[in-house]
Amino acid sequence: MATRSILAALLLTFSIAGSVLAQSSAQNVPDDYYRAEFVILERIVDPGSINEHMADHIVEPTPATNDILWSVAQGGSVQSTLSLVSKNSLYLNSAAQRLERSGHYRLLAATGWYQTFPPNYDGKPLRVELGDWLPNSGTREIEGTITVDRQRYLHVGVHLNHWKEGMEGPKELVTWIRETRRMRSEEIHFLDSPTIGVLVFFKKISE
């Protein structure tokens, strides 16, 4: 796929050596303290070129949660229960800009936060709601959850649904992401479907 080749080329030219990461100002940094970063993109494709045929898939309801990563209300305001850092301070910001400039992706969210992830950390699902507003369904076109766990290693579970308005009003599934992946610190990871992409980056913070 051409967009996969574009993504690979962009990420290969994005060197960690050239990055400037904001460090914690705390004098005593906790153990297992990380900077977690997520960029969520929509791939710009012709809907007719998608061969997933997922309209008949049964999708279990997204679990109710009070923990929110990024939720865009109908009026456009963004809500999160995390202490998010500014987009401009993100390590992934440069990669996100390059992908958007390629003309193949639309940037929906780029954010990060600092958190302790000790071994055997059982993370709660974080709510995600973004993309275009679907008025008949009263929801955003992309919604679901992202979960960060840690056993021996960090793992990220992405469960996102991409919806569209159906011919008779109810929403129909376009594609989804159902993937859990082990994360290597200081490496960019990309989880995707034909229409959604999620860049993930973790940086362990030390004194």
Side-chain angles (χ1 to χ4, degrees):
M1 184 183 295
T3 52
R4 291 285 186 88
S5 299
I6 292 169
L7 176 69
L10 288 169
L11 296 186
L12 281 173
T13 61
F14 189 59
S15 170
I16 191 170
S19 170
V20 177
L21 283 167
Q23 298 294 321
S24 171
S25 60
Q27 295 298 316
N28 297 312
V29 178
D31 292 336
D32 302 309
Y33 195 52
Y34 287 85
R35 167 73 161 272
E37 297 187 10
F38 287 84
V39 170
I40 302 175
L41 308 123
E42 182 177 358
R43 183 177 281 128
I44 301 172
V45 295
D46 178 0
S49 68
I50 300 172
N51 298 317
E52 296 286 285
H53 303 297
M54 300 189 72
D56 295 330
H57 279 54
I58 297 175
V59 183
E60 294 187 3
T62 299
T65 175
N66 294 322
D67 299 285
I68 302 170
L69 172 55
W70 191 278
S71 177
V72 184
Q74 182 177 358
S77 60
V78 176
Q79 180 183 7
S80 179
T81 57
L82 302 170
S83 297
L84 301 179
V85 300
S86 67
K87 174 187 172 184
N88 291 338
S89 68
L90 298 177
Y91 170 72
L92 289 177
N93 187 40
S94 179
Q97 290 179 345
R98 294 182 187 186
L99 288 170
E100 193 167 38
R101 285 197 300 267
S102 75
H104 295 278
Y105 292 88
R106 178 165 70 117
L107 180 63
L108 301 179
T111 193
W113 71 97
Y114 290 96
Q115 183 175 337
T116 299
F117 294 107
N120 300 316
Y121 173 80
D122 188 13
K124 296 179 180 179
L126 299 169
R127 181 78 178 176
V128 174
E129 297 170 305
L130 35 64
D132 294 335
W133 179 257
L134 304 181
N136 292 335
S137 304
T139 186
R140 291 283 165 183
E141 64 173 337
I142 296 172
E143 59 82 29
T145 61
I146 292 177
T147 306
V148 181
D149 294 308
R150 186 180 177 195
Q151 291 81 48
R152 183 178 178 185
Y153 301 101
L154 286 163
H155 291 80
V156 167
V158 177
H159 285 221
L160 295 179
N161 306 308
H162 187 176
W163 304 96
K164 68 176 182 179
E165 297 279 26
M167 296 294 294
E168 299 179 358
K171 61 185 181 183
E172 294 180 359
L173 188 65
V174 180
T175 61
W176 66 17
I177 300 179
R178 294 290 187 273
E179 186 172 354
T180 298
R181 188 181 299 180
R182 172 183 163 184
M183 298 286 118
R184 294 182 181 273
S185 185
E186 301 190 25
E187 290 186 10
I188 298 177
H189 298 264
F190 185 62
L191 298 81
D192 72 329
S193 77
T195 62
I196 313 170
V198 182
L199 290 170
V200 186
F201 179 81
F202 285 91
K203 168 72 175 179
K204 188 170 184 181
I205 307 301
S206 58
E207 292 185 82

